[in-house]
Amino acid sequence: MTTRDPVTLPDAAPQNWVDRHAPESVRPWLRLGRFDRPVGIWLLFLPGAMGLAYASAVTGTDFPLYVLVLFATGSGLMRAAGCAFNDLVDRDIDAKVERTRGRPISSGQITPKQAMAFIIICCLISLIILIQLGTLAIMLGVGSLALVAAYPFMKRITWWPQAWLGLTFNWGFLMAYAAVAGEITLPGLLFYGGLVFWTIGYDTIYALQDIEDDVMAGVKSSARALGTKARPGITVIYGLCLILTTMSAAIAPLSWPFYVAQALVAAHLAWQVYTLRPQDGALALKLFKANRDAGLLWVAGLIFSGIVR
């Protein structure tokens, strides 16, 4: 295994804003929170935006822009806290994996105690945001902490840690839905279930980068579980995503703009599977990042579905 500069992280965009503009003293902290890789913030934020748009469409209320800002801020903070906690738990494993050995904790740039302080600060600020969302959303937000805390251990327990990530990353959909509607309905649960499969699919693509290192470190993943059947497996997973979200829209019901967006999302996911080459790690990372666009299509479809009732 080659020696890597501890500040160079291969899944960060070359010349990202942290490397270009952030003072050198704060770069390890920004990398700890993955602010140099904003696609993760997008993928955590977009389900919340979908939940707001979905609930607004089915209740006939105006889209809550202020709450959208709260979710965007909270997504950045909670993603930072979750990544820091994950790195804290996995620091010994990360040191053995080529893609992660340069992370701030495993490379010694930030101590475990400092990382814990970072996590607490992010969570306290997020709590200030959470208490503005209503009782049910607050309860769901508190409940999400169990999902976040358990996630780093899933790769040691199950071959499908991506399923747990799906439950965790899309929890914001339920919180946002509850913040607008004050309840959780069957259509909302179906859409949430579809998003869980979406995350399993795109994170399986992401995990294809790490198969060899994961074998050496003894880490489990859906990419390893599927093996040579990764492409047909991801096809089935994405298919379940589309079936559940379409069922949800039909029961709600949502108006025609959603179905236009759904068709575009289906084409986008089909393109990912068609393009995927399991042995090409750089391509896997590119396809993983492309899921931000799928999420934006869903958000647009749901917003316009609320406008065109």
Side-chain angles (χ1 to χ4, degrees), residues 114-130:
Q114 290 173 326
M116 184 57 68
F118 177 86
I119 294 167
I120 292 171
I121 291 171
C122 288
C123 288
L124 288 175
I125 299 173
S126 297
L127 178 61
I128 296 172
I129 295 172
L130 178 63

Side-chain angles (χ1 to χ4, degrees), residues 249-268:
I251 296 171
L254 298 176
S255 59
W256 65 265
F258 172 79
Y259 294 97
V260 173
Q262 184 79 332
L264 294 173
V265 170
H268 191 281

Side-chain angles (χ1 to χ4, degrees), residues 129-145:
I129 295 172
L130 178 63
I131 60 177
Q132 302 180 59
L133 299 180
T135 302
L136 181 55
I138 292 172
M139 293 171 62
L140 288 168
V142 172
S144 72
L145 295 177

Side-chain angles (χ1 to χ4, degrees), residues 153-207:
F153 302 99
M154 289 299 112
K155 63 177 69 72
R156 299 166 172 85
I157 298 171
T158 174
W159 286 101
W160 291 88
Q162 281 69 25
W164 196 268
L165 182 69
L167 295 171
T168 306
F169 245 55
N170 296 291
W171 199 254
F173 177 88
L174 297 179
M175 291 176 59
Y177 192 102
V180 174
E183 62 178 351
I184 301 296
T185 62
L186 176 60
L189 287 172
L190 286 172
F191 203 94
Y192 168 71
L195 294 180
V196 170
F197 280 105
W198 176 47
T199 298
I200 296 172
Y202 70 61
D203 204 57
T204 299
I205 292 174
Y206 186 81

Side-chain angles (χ1 to χ4, degrees), residues 62-299:
D62 292 334
F63 185 79
L65 289 175
Y66 174 69
V67 182
L68 182 71
V69 173
L70 293 180
F71 267 87
T73 306
S75 296
L77 290 169
M78 287 309 298
R79 194 247 183 165
C83 288
F85 181 70
N86 183 78
D87 290 2
L88 186 62
V89 173
D90 284 351
R91 57 189 183 276
D92 294 333
I93 292 176
D94 285 346
K96 301 175 184 177
V97 176
E98 180 70 7
R99 184 179 58 80
T100 59
R101 61 189 297 195
R103 287 177 174 173
I105 300 176
S106 59
S107 64
Q109 299 172 79
I110 291 175
T111 68
K113 288 184 178 179
Q114 290 173 326
M116 184 57 68
F118 177 86
I119 294 167
I120 292 171
I121 291 171
C122 288
C123 288
L124 288 175
I125 299 173
S126 297
L127 178 61
I128 296 172
I129 295 172
L130 178 63
I131 60 177
Q132 302 180 59
L133 299 180
T135 302
L136 181 55
I138 292 172
M139 293 171 62
L140 288 168
V142 172
S144 72
L145 295 177
L147 292 170
V148 174
Y151 171 67
F153 302 99
M154 289 299 112
K155 63 177 69 72
R156 299 166 172 85
I157 298 171
T158 174
W159 286 101
W160 291 88
Q162 281 69 25
W164 196 268
L165 182 69
L167 295 171
T168 306
F169 245 55
N170 296 291
W171 199 254
F173 177 88
L174 297 179
M175 291 176 59
Y177 192 102
V180 174
E183 62 178 351
I184 301 296
T185 62
L186 176 60
L189 287 172
L190 286 172
F191 203 94
Y192 168 71
L195 294 180
V196 170
F197 280 105
W198 176 47
T199 298
I200 296 172
Y202 70 61
D203 204 57
T204 299
I205 292 174
Y206 186 81
L208 289 170
Q209 303 173 86
D210 296 333
I211 287 181
E212 292 183 4
D213 286 328
D214 285 349
V215 171
M216 294 178 61
V219 172
K220 299 176 180 179
S221 73
S222 55
R224 288 189 62 194
L226 290 171
T228 58
K229 298 180 180 178
R231 289 183 70 186
I234 294 168
T235 300
V236 171
I237 292 166
Y238 275 163
L240 290 171
C241 159
L242 294 169
I243 289 170
L244 287 174
T245 49
T246 302
M247 287 175 58
S248 170
I251 296 171
L254 298 176
S255 59
W256 65 265
F258 172 79
Y259 294 97
V260 173
Q262 184 79 332
L264 294 173
V265 170
H268 191 281
L269 298 182
W271 165 77
Q272 290 182 38
V273 174
Y274 178 78
T275 307
L276 181 65
R277 300 292 180 269
Q279 303 302 321
D280 189 336
L283 177 60
L285 180 60
K286 176 184 176 181
L287 295 176
F288 163 76
K289 290 181 177 181
N291 280 278
R292 181 201 65 171
D293 299 333
L296 287 171
L297 287 170
W298 264 321
V299 172

